Amino acid sequence: GFPEVESDGAVWARIAPLREAALEAGHEVWVTHAGLIKSFLYCSFGIPASRSLCFKIPLGSVLRFSRTRDLFTLHEFWPGPDRLEG
C-alpha cells in the first residue's frame, strides 16, 4: 500500500486553477479518472471522507453536470458499457 494518499480536498484544490480557467473561458471540463471523479463528488456535495464507499461509478461511465456559481446539478448518468448489457 501507500503510506499516504492525497485527500479528496487536496486533489480538488490542486486542479482548481485549471478547472476554473476552463469554465470561465466557456469550455466544458471532462473528468475521466476515477480518483478525480470521487474527489469532485465528495467535495462538491460535502460528503465526509468517512463515507468511503458512498458512490460506485462503473468504468467507462459518463456523468454530465452543469454549474451555477458554486452549485452543481447532475443532468445525466450513463453507466459503463458493461452495465448496459443484460
Side-chain angles (χ1 to χ4, degrees), residues 41-78:
L41 292 170
Y42 277 62
C43 292
S44 297
F45 297 104
I47 300 165
S50 61
R51 298 282 315 269
S52 62
L53 300 174
C54 190
F55 288 100
K56 175 80 171 157
I57 307 296
L59 292 175
S61 297
V62 176
L63 292 83
R64 188 173 70 85
F65 292 87
S66 66
R67 182 177 86 165
T68 305
R69 292 186 212 95
D70 290 332
L71 302 175
F72 288 90
T73 301
L74 174 64
H75 293 282
E76 297 175 84
F77 170 56
W78 298 308

Side-chain angles (χ1 to χ4, degrees), residues 13-59:
R14 182 167 45 87
I15 64 119
L18 175 64
R19 179 188 72 232
E20 294 306 314
L23 291 170
E24 288 173 13
H27 298 291
E28 292 182 350
V29 175
W30 289 68
V31 179
T32 60
H33 184 274
L36 191 51
I37 292 170
K38 178 184 174 282
S39 294
F40 161 71
L41 292 170
Y42 277 62
C43 292
S44 297
F45 297 104
I47 300 165
S50 61
R51 298 282 315 269
S52 62
L53 300 174
C54 190
F55 288 100
K56 175 80 171 157
I57 307 296
L59 292 175

